Each structure stands twice: as C-alpha cells, then as structure tokens.
Amino acid sequence: MLKKLLLLSISLLWVASMSAQQVPNSLRLHAGYFDPSEGLESGPRGPVDQLTIGLEGHTLYMSNVGFDVTLQLTDANNSVVYTTFVAANTYSVVLPSYLTGEYKIILIDDERFFWGYIEL
C-alpha cells in the first residue's frame, strides 16, 4: 500500500511539473507592502512569496501570479507611462509596442507590490 501511495505521489508531481508553464527570460522582482493611505513602502514587513515573471520582446509572462494586480510601468522620471489591470492566473500580457527603453515595472495588489526593471 505504501509503495502504491509513493508511486502515485511521484506520478502526480511529475504531471504537475510537466504541465507548469515555463517563463522565458525570468526577471527578479523586489517586494514591499502597499498601504492606500501611504502609498508604496520600501521593503517587506515579513516574508513575501516571490513572483516568477519573464519578458520576451513586448510580452510579459507570469507563471505564479494567482491574484489580481495592477501593472504599472514608470519612466526614469517616475512618471507612470502605462497601467493596466491583470486578472489572477493570467499567463501573458502584451505591452504596447510604442514603449521602448528601460522602465520600472510595478505589480500592485491589495497589500503588496513587486517591482523591478525591464528593457523593451
């Protein structure tokens, strides 16, 4: 019985790993907390799960964003140049082709934010 349970567990893990969507050109994001009355705060107050996102061309890939976020891109002057809503479990978002250069990307949910830099 134990052998069958172990074999079933290994099989399920293998199937789950094979079905997981791969993210090209993974990006590292920093995490912080969001308070609507105070804005974005630097550094997390406690552990925050990391997000796996990647960029290929103007397509942003997200494999483990299981919550709704507002995606913002800001320029070197910290001016928001693009913003959009991204629903939970969305795998890809195509960014406008007119955006070129380096941008700060910020993903904001109800209480956290994740940020990094991308080159389009």
Side-chain angles (χ1 to χ4, degrees):
M1 178 68 172
L2 185 57
K3 282 184 179 180
K4 287 182 182 180
L5 184 59
L6 181 61
L7 186 57
L8 178 62
S9 298
I10 291 171
S11 297
L12 290 174
L13 286 173
W14 181 77
V15 169
S17 68
M18 293 302 290
S19 65
Q21 296 172 319
Q22 298 297 313
V23 173
N25 304 319
S26 292
L27 302 171
R28 173 143 174 83
L29 296 180
H30 306 278
Y33 281 88
F34 176 71
D35 181 343
S37 64
E38 297 181 25
L40 304 178
E41 298 177 15
S42 62
R45 294 181 209 146
V48 176
D49 293 336
Q50 288 295 315
L51 298 183
T52 303
I53 69 168
L55 183 69
E56 190 171 279
H58 277 74
T59 304
L60 185 68
Y61 296 95
M62 303 174 286
S63 73
N64 66 338
V65 183
F67 43 88
D68 297 342
V69 295
T70 299
L71 183 152
Q72 289 183 346
L73 296 180
T74 61
D75 62 15
N77 298 320
N78 284 327
S79 298
V80 176
V81 296
Y82 180 74
T83 187
T84 190
F85 172 79
V86 181
N89 301 311
T90 298
Y91 177 64
S92 65
V93 175
V94 178
L95 302 173
S97 60
Y98 63 83
L99 294 172
T100 58
E102 184 176 79
Y103 296 95
K104 183 177 185 179
I105 183 170
I106 307 168
L107 301 171
I108 306 168
D109 76 356
D110 292 334
E111 58 189 40
R112 305 170 291 203
F113 70 97
F114 303 88
W115 65 274
Y117 293 95
I118 61 172
E119 179 81 30
L120 298 174

